[in-house]
């Protein structure tokens, strides 16, 4: 037996009846010869990790724009934390960790520069709207590998596009990532907000702390343990009513105290103005789009090409392009 065949046999022996096994995948849009070592989901992990879009996540805002300090989250560190939480849930429930990891690592590939501020701006400019979860699917289907896409399995693609809104993912692994994403961002955003003195420990609702815990690690442990307990033997990933309500209260607190806080989000309007001017510039000067986006311009229109280009930018690259186009440069007379 090849290493892949051994792994497939192990999945049938070790995984829960509710898990998605690699040899039960609906496959890829373009059929490929199987790897002798890796299952289809393991190959998808590698394709995502080696993609350009994944590398760019390290320079994309999570919540705080341009924070001073080395310890604030980026979109990359958020993705890694989601992956760890989701895999912990998957392992405890006997789900497919490879599928879970692929979805977790790919779920935010389509996120814009400057976090949700950038997403809201592109949504207002792009005909038909813009959502990062749909863009994540577009990245893996259309934009990576010079326009060929990564040709991921159906289950990974489904988990990516269903990770935040709308219909639940078709697999429990995808549902685990969706809940892990919420657990991760609420709790690490609290930690970053505390570090930035946007909130203080006593601001967190006492009823929530009494139930979930008073520290970052305790809150995550309580939430993860509850998901595992509530989901045992179920055909869906879920929370107990009490813990689910506490997390909803915590999320509401974060929106009121952090996500709309004028101190924490005071620079967002500047970032949006910058992205708006970039969008308008490239819409009026599409010949200046990189070669990778000219085919999109021809086949799908200028707006689509401009949107894809700007959505893929990192924070510093967007600032650099804006500076080149709109800020007078110094020069020396010799």
């Amino acid at each position: 037996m090849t290493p892949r065949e051994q792994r497939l046999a192990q999945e049938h022996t070790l995984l829960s009846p509710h898990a998605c096994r690699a040899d039960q995948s609906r496959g890829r849009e373009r059929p490929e010869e199987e790897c002798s070592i890796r299952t289809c989901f393991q190959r998808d992990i590698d394709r995502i990790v080696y993609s350009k879009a994944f590398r760019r996540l390290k320079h994309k805002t999570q919540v705080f724009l341009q924070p001073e300090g080395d310890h604030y989250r980026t979109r990359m560190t958020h993705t890694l934390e989601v992956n760890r939480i989701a895999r912990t849930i998957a392992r405890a429930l006997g789900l497919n960790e490879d599928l879970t990891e692929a979805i977790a690592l790919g779920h935010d590939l389509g996120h814009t520069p400057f976090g949700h501020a950038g997403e809201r701006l592109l949504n207002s400019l792009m005909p038909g709207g813009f959502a990062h979860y749909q863009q994540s699917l577009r990245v893996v289907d259309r934009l990576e590998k010079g326009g060929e896409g990564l040709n991921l399995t159906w289950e990974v693609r489904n988990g990516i596009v269903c990770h935040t809104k709308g219909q639940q993912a078709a697999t429990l692994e995808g549902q685990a990532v969706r809940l892990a994403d919420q657990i991760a961002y609420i709790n690490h955003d609290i930690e970053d907000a505390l570090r930035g003195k946007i909130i203080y420990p006593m601001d967190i609702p006492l009823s929530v702390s009494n139930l979930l815990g008073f520290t970052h690690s305790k809150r995550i442990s309580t939430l993860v343990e509850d998901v595992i307990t509530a989901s045992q033997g179920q055909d869906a990933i879920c929370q107990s009513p009490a813990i689910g309500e506490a997390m909803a209260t915590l999320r509401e607190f974060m929106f009121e105290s952090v996500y709309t806080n004028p101190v924490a989000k005071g620079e967002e309007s500047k970032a949006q103005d910058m992205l708006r001017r970039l969008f308008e510039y490239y819409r009026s000067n599409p010949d200046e789009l990189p070669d990778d986006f000219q085919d999109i311009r021809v086949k799908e229109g200028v707006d689509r090409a401009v949107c894809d280009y700007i959505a893929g930018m990192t924070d510093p690259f967007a600032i650099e392009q804006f500076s080149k186009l709109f800020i007078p440069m110094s020069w020396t007379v010799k």
Side-chain angles (χ1 to χ4, degrees):
M1 296 176 67
T2 66
R4 180 181 67 86
E5 291 170 336
Q6 291 174 1
R7 176 59 184 167
L8 294 176
Q10 290 171 354
E11 289 185 354
H12 280 275
T13 301
L14 300 176
L15 297 187
S16 161
H18 299 286
C20 178
R21 291 158 173 80
D23 61 5
Q24 297 172 341
S25 171
R26 299 190 193 184
R28 308 179 188 279
E29 184 174 340
R30 300 188 300 276
E32 300 177 5
E33 182 179 350
E34 293 287 357
C35 175
S36 64
I37 300 174
R38 299 165 295 167
T39 68
C40 57
F41 299 145
Q42 289 173 325
R43 293 180 79 183
D44 285 356
I45 293 171
D46 291 342
R47 291 179 184 191
I48 290 168
V49 169
Y50 294 131
S51 69
K52 292 185 293 185
F54 185 80
R55 295 195 293 274
R56 290 197 299 267
L57 294 178
K58 66 180 179 179
H59 292 305
K60 290 195 175 190
T61 290
Q62 173 60 26
V63 170
F64 296 99
L65 273 63
Q66 307 278 31
E68 294 183 3
D70 296 331
H71 300 143
Y72 291 90
R73 268 72 173 190
T74 66
R75 192 63 55 178
M76 171 72 81
T77 57
H78 162 72
T79 295
L80 296 177
E81 292 184 32
V82 172
N83 180 44
R84 292 310 309 156
I85 292 172
R87 286 195 62 175
T88 297
I89 293 170
R91 181 175 298 180
L93 294 175
L95 303 180
N96 193 315
E97 287 188 62
D98 294 327
L99 173 56
T100 303
E101 181 169 14
I103 296 169
L105 294 178
H107 82 281
D108 266 356
L109 292 179
H111 234 301
T112 60
F114 308 112
H116 288 285
E119 181 176 16
R120 291 192 297 270
L121 187 279
L122 288 185
N123 184 53
S124 71
L125 295 177
M126 181 64 189
F130 177 93
H132 79 272
Y133 54 93
Q134 295 171 341
Q135 188 70 10
S136 294
L137 184 62
R138 181 169 171 81
V139 166
V140 300
D141 280 353
R142 176 70 172 88
L143 301 181
E144 277 292 324
K145 283 192 72 174
E148 294 182 10
L150 301 181
N151 197 31
L152 303 181
T153 55
W154 184 90
E155 291 77 13
V156 174
R157 296 174 60 254
N158 172 262
I160 287 173
V161 79
C162 294
H163 84 264
T164 183
K165 289 184 179 180
Q167 186 176 359
Q168 279 278 16
T171 64
L172 294 193
E173 290 82 359
Q175 294 178 30
V177 171
R178 182 169 177 159
L179 200 45
D181 183 34
Q182 297 173 33
I183 293 171
Y185 81 70
I186 289 172
N187 284 284
H188 64 49
D189 291 351
I190 288 174
E191 190 170 53
D192 283 355
L194 289 169
R195 178 175 291 109
K197 302 189 185 307
I198 302 301
I199 60 173
Y200 293 89
M202 66 284 294
D203 295 330
I204 300 172
L206 183 59
S207 61
V208 172
S209 296
N210 283 332
L211 189 58
L212 300 185
F214 287 83
T215 66
H216 176 75
S217 60
K218 181 57 179 176
R219 281 191 299 269
I220 291 180
S221 294
T222 301
L223 289 165
V224 170
E225 289 170 7
D226 178 75
V227 171
I228 293 167
T229 301
S231 304
Q232 286 284 358
Q234 304 297 315
D235 58 0
I237 302 298
C238 54
Q239 296 174 291
S240 68
I243 297 298
E245 183 179 348
M247 192 170 86
T249 300
L250 193 58
R251 184 175 183 271
E252 183 179 347
F253 162 75
M254 288 298 290
F255 269 94
E256 293 175 353
S257 303
V258 177
Y259 300 144
T260 57
N261 185 293
V263 176
K265 312 303 264 181
E267 297 297 299
E268 284 191 351
S269 61
K270 297 178 184 179
Q272 290 180 322
D273 288 343
M274 181 169 59
L275 294 183
R276 180 182 291 105
R277 292 189 66 182
L278 286 173
F279 196 101
E280 292 169 350
Y281 178 85
Y282 286 111
R283 177 190 273 163
S284 301
N285 302 274
D287 289 342
E288 295 189 31
L289 288 168
D291 292 342
D292 290 349
F293 298 89
Q294 294 301 332
D295 183 63
I296 297 173
R297 171 192 174 188
V298 171
K299 294 180 179 178
E300 302 180 64
V302 172
D303 285 337
R304 182 72 264 175
V306 173
C307 183
D308 286 340
Y309 182 42
I310 292 178
M313 291 180 177
T314 62
D315 296 16
F317 183 77
I319 294 171
E320 178 185 345
Q321 294 306 107
F322 181 86
S323 297
K324 287 180 179 179
L325 293 173
F326 299 109
I327 305 299
M329 305 298 290
S330 61
W331 58 283
T332 302
V333 178
K334 295 183 179 179

